[in-house]
Structure formats: C-alpha cells, structure tokens
Amino acid sequence: MRPADCRKILQTAFGNSPSSFRKGRAILSSIFNYGIRQEWCDRNPVLAIETPRIIEKPIEPLTLEEVQRLERAAERPEHRDMQLSLKLMLYCGIRPTEVTRIDPQRDIVGDELIIRPTTSKTGGGRVVPLRKVAPFVRRHKHALTIPPHWEQRWRALRRAARFRTWRPDICRHTFATYHARHFRNLAALQLEMGHTTPRLLHSRYLSPIAQSTARRFWNL
C-alpha cells in the first residue's frame, strides 16, 4: 500500500477532524508496525503521512449561576440520587465515565476519593481530596450510591437545570479552572486531574477568571 492509499482510508474512516485523524493515523501505523515485526511487509507507509497539528482551544467553565442551577436541580427529590455524582464532577474533577465506575463505599476513604486504575479513563490511579464534598459525604455516609442508568439520569438532571446544550466534560473544565485560580497550585491540580504533564492544563483548562469568582465557587 502507498501513503496515498492509507490517507484515503484515514479520511474515509476518521473524517477531516485533526484529532480523529491523528488517532486513526496512530492505529493504522501500529498495524503496519506489527506487520513488519511479523515479516508480512517491509515498510510502514503511514509514516509518510504528516500528522495534523491540533490547536487546543480553552473551554469556558460553567458560570456560578449555572453551577447553582445544577445544584438546585439535584436537590429535588426526583434527582437526589445524582447529588454525589454531580459534586464529584464539579468539585473533584472526576470524569463522567469514572463516576459510573466508582464504588462510594469502597473508594471514599476519609476525606479522599481513590480513583483506581480500573476506574480511571487513562488507566492510572490517583487520589483526589473531597474538599467541599466531604461534609455531604459525612452526612450521607451509609447511603452513598451511584444510580443505575447513569447516563439517562445525568441527562435528566441537566434538563431539569434548564440546559439545552451541553459541552462534554464541562464539569471537569470548571473544576480545573476554579481550582487553578483559587488554590494557585498547578502541580497539585495536575495530580488530581491525573495528567502526566502540565501541557494539557495550560492549553485547555485554564480559562481566565477573577479570583473573587473562584473564591465564590469554592464557598457556594
């Protein structure tokens, strides 16, 4: 196969999105590398295809009013089973996929949440302070659960909070932005987010906000 053939495959399967194209290129390249090791082919034509550059755009965090709308919606009887999930995403930066894998009775130890390698999206474990989630956890210690049919429950909560559109992982972006501005400790934030380098924090998560706004977020 020629590089042009590989490019056509990538464009057909992954489209023109630079991020998707890069992922597809990595997958196809690994296939050819495996073929070389097995002596099925003698070269990797994917290496001749340039890797598209991705310019990460910062994502604006939720406003304090939007955070309060979510919190108020979660206090309604029909959505109370989502309170813990919401607080872990907003105030601990836990990914939605990670929330669904958490066992609160096992993974919440004292005032910390243990994200185990089998729970983490990236396969690396980490320990996250509960901070303002800790009082809620102590009050409901024996009734902490992650509800079944979580995706549907999460969509229902957002609708109840009057969100017509939703940006993926916006709670995680909100946590990182307000954490960085208030605590001013990027090394700690990097560990809590589970990032191996600070590059992603600088390129996507650090939207400029007023320090007084960040202080209000942590004191809501």
Side-chain angles (χ1 to χ4, degrees), residues 18-72:
S19 178
S20 296
F21 192 92
R22 284 172 66 103
K23 291 178 182 177
R25 182 186 181 280
I27 294 170
L28 190 56
S29 181
S30 66
I31 292 173
F32 275 102
N33 287 337
Y34 179 77
I36 292 172
R37 291 195 299 272
Q38 298 300 317
E39 298 183 352
W40 296 338
C41 57
D42 56 8
R43 66 188 183 90
N44 183 348
V46 179
L47 298 179
I49 301 174
E50 65 278 6
T51 303
R53 182 184 177 191
I54 298 177
I55 301 177
E56 300 283 4
K57 296 181 180 180
I59 298 177
E60 292 298 318
L62 294 170
T63 65
L64 296 184
E65 188 271 337
E66 289 173 326
V67 170
Q68 290 174 318
R69 276 163 45 194
L70 283 166
E71 289 271 30
R72 286 194 295 266

Side-chain angles (χ1 to χ4, degrees), residues 4-16 21:
D5 299 319
C6 294
R7 185 188 301 278
K8 185 176 181 180
I9 291 173
L10 292 172
Q11 290 173 338
T12 301
F14 297 94
N16 295 318
F21 192 92

Side-chain angles (χ1 to χ4, degrees), residues 11-179:
Q11 290 173 338
T12 301
F14 297 94
N16 295 318
S17 164
S19 178
S20 296
F21 192 92
R22 284 172 66 103
K23 291 178 182 177
R25 182 186 181 280
I27 294 170
L28 190 56
S29 181
S30 66
I31 292 173
F32 275 102
N33 287 337
Y34 179 77
I36 292 172
R37 291 195 299 272
Q38 298 300 317
E39 298 183 352
W40 296 338
C41 57
D42 56 8
R43 66 188 183 90
N44 183 348
V46 179
L47 298 179
I49 301 174
E50 65 278 6
T51 303
R53 182 184 177 191
I54 298 177
I55 301 177
E56 300 283 4
K57 296 181 180 180
I59 298 177
E60 292 298 318
L62 294 170
T63 65
L64 296 184
E65 188 271 337
E66 289 173 326
V67 170
Q68 290 174 318
R69 276 163 45 194
L70 283 166
E71 289 271 30
R72 286 194 295 266
E75 291 171 358
R76 300 176 190 172
E78 65 270 27
H79 298 300
R80 282 178 186 162
D81 60 352
M82 286 295 292
Q83 281 186 303
L84 177 62
S85 298
L86 176 64
K87 291 178 184 296
L88 292 179
M89 290 188 290
L90 279 175
Y91 304 117
C92 298
I94 309 304
R95 299 177 178 93
T97 53
E98 294 172 336
V99 170
T100 62
R101 301 169 186 165
I102 288 171
D103 178 350
Q105 302 301 329
R106 176 196 65 180
D107 299 332
I108 294 178
V109 181
D111 288 345
E112 295 180 325
L113 172 66
I114 300 174
I115 301 294
R116 303 174 191 276
T118 53
T119 301
S120 172
K121 175 185 175 182
T122 58
R126 65 190 192 275
V127 177
V128 183
L130 291 174
R131 293 194 180 86
K132 66 178 299 179
V133 184
F136 176 86
V137 167
R138 287 193 289 269
R139 286 197 305 271
H140 303 277
K141 182 176 181 181
H142 300 294
L144 297 173
T145 61
I146 303 299
H149 310 295
W150 192 90
E151 290 289 348
Q152 296 94 314
R153 303 292 299 131
W154 179 216
R155 286 195 295 269
L157 176 60
R158 300 199 308 260
R159 287 195 300 270
R162 306 191 311 279
F163 283 92
R164 296 183 178 179
T165 60
W166 188 257
R167 292 155 286 175
D169 273 349
I170 189 61
C171 289
R172 186 167 162 85
H173 287 270
T174 299
F175 164 77
T177 297
Y178 289 115
H179 185 297

